[in-house]
Amino acid sequence: MGQYFKDRSITSLPVKIVFLRMDCEPSQYIDLPQEYKLEHYKIVPLSLYRYVYNHVGQSYCWWMRKIISDAQLAKYFDNSLIEVYFLKNVEDNVIGFCELDCRIGSSINISYFGLMPRWIGKRIGRSFFSQVLKVAWAKNPENVRINTCELDHPKALPLYLESGFKRIANEVELWHIPQYLNLPVPDAIKL
């Protein structure tokens, strides 16, 4: 790993990805503290989604949603089997989000999950993730999937494993990140 390549238009990074699966519903869930709520948005406001996605992923090299147009993103969210949930505080401010991909009937994939930076470390992540699992399992899938990578928050993988996920595969993907995004090359990948 530890090597990256640059040219004028892209940065190519080899990134270790861990794929995980949960085959049994948890026996119990952790409730959100009373001052928080998880809201499903059937119509996803693209400006809100982009704002939250950009802030949640700013330190973790989230780039894949940044390179698609609003028209492509709107078309993606027009599919009722793609569900977006926003975590809000008592003031109705969005402090996190998750995205569930329910297009495969037997499996639900948690495509994105995260908190806005200033909410990390406030002891809300575990209950937030537990409620995301509750929503996913309420759809009666055979399993729930998620993946993470070496660039994600260091507590992501331990949270997933403690929640009952099992590793099913490890891969190295070569990410080709456009330079115009001005994303910093993560320290975890630098020489």
Side-chain angles (χ1 to χ4, degrees), residues 141-186:
E142 288 180 19
N143 59 62
V144 175
R145 296 172 182 257
I146 195 167
N147 65 286
T148 188
C149 74
E150 63 185 312
L151 304 180
D152 280 339
H153 191 282
K155 291 187 178 180
L157 181 58
L159 173 63
Y160 305 155
L161 294 171
E162 290 167 14
S163 297
F165 282 87
K166 304 290 185 225
R167 293 174 193 248
I168 57 170
N170 296 305
E171 292 181 14
V172 174
E173 291 181 359
L174 188 59
W175 287 1
H176 302 291
I177 304 171
Q179 289 287 318
Y180 72 84
L181 296 175
N182 294 317
L183 292 174
V185 176

Side-chain angles (χ1 to χ4, degrees), residues 8-180:
R8 286 188 302 246
S9 59
I10 64 167
T11 298
S12 295
L13 303 172
V15 180
K16 296 177 196 172
I17 312 292
V18 179
F19 295 87
L20 303 110
R21 186 178 68 217
M22 179 185 282
D23 293 320
C24 298
E25 182 175 4
S27 59
Q28 59 185 0
Y29 295 100
I30 303 167
D31 290 333
L32 284 169
Q34 192 172 5
E35 62 270 24
Y36 300 97
K37 62 185 173 184
L38 190 60
E39 284 189 17
H40 176 214
Y41 277 50
K42 291 187 183 212
I43 298 173
V44 181
L46 296 184
S47 60
L48 174 62
Y49 179 88
R50 288 195 185 279
Y51 177 82
V52 176
Y53 176 92
N54 291 340
H55 282 81
V56 168
Q58 72 185 4
S59 298
Y60 312 112
C61 206
W62 287 15
W63 62 279
M64 294 176 189
R65 291 284 195 257
K66 292 182 177 196
I67 63 170
I68 60 177
S69 70
D70 281 352
Q72 291 169 308
L73 193 58
K75 183 176 180 184
Y76 178 72
F77 289 137
D78 278 346
N79 186 331
S80 63
L81 297 176
I82 303 295
E83 298 181 358
V84 176
Y85 296 80
F86 290 104
L87 180 65
K88 294 183 170 185
N89 65 7
V90 70
E91 291 90 23
D92 211 37
N93 296 318
V94 174
I95 64 167
F97 86 113
C98 76
E99 185 178 316
L100 301 180
D101 184 343
C102 309
R103 292 177 293 181
I104 300 172
S106 62
S107 184
I108 293 177
N109 186 58
I110 302 171
S111 302
Y112 288 98
F113 166 80
L115 290 167
M116 299 288 269
R118 70 182 212 116
W119 292 91
I120 294 172
K122 306 248 187 224
R123 306 183 62 83
I124 187 67
R126 189 168 304 280
S127 61
F128 175 27
F129 191 65
S130 182
Q131 291 303 300
V132 169
L133 290 175
K134 185 176 183 179
V135 168
W137 281 104
K139 299 172 185 311
N140 297 311
E142 288 180 19
N143 59 62
V144 175
R145 296 172 182 257
I146 195 167
N147 65 286
T148 188
C149 74
E150 63 185 312
L151 304 180
D152 280 339
H153 191 282
K155 291 187 178 180
L157 181 58
L159 173 63
Y160 305 155
L161 294 171
E162 290 167 14
S163 297
F165 282 87
K166 304 290 185 225
R167 293 174 193 248
I168 57 170
N170 296 305
E171 292 181 14
V172 174
E173 291 181 359
L174 188 59
W175 287 1
H176 302 291
I177 304 171
Q179 289 287 318
Y180 72 84

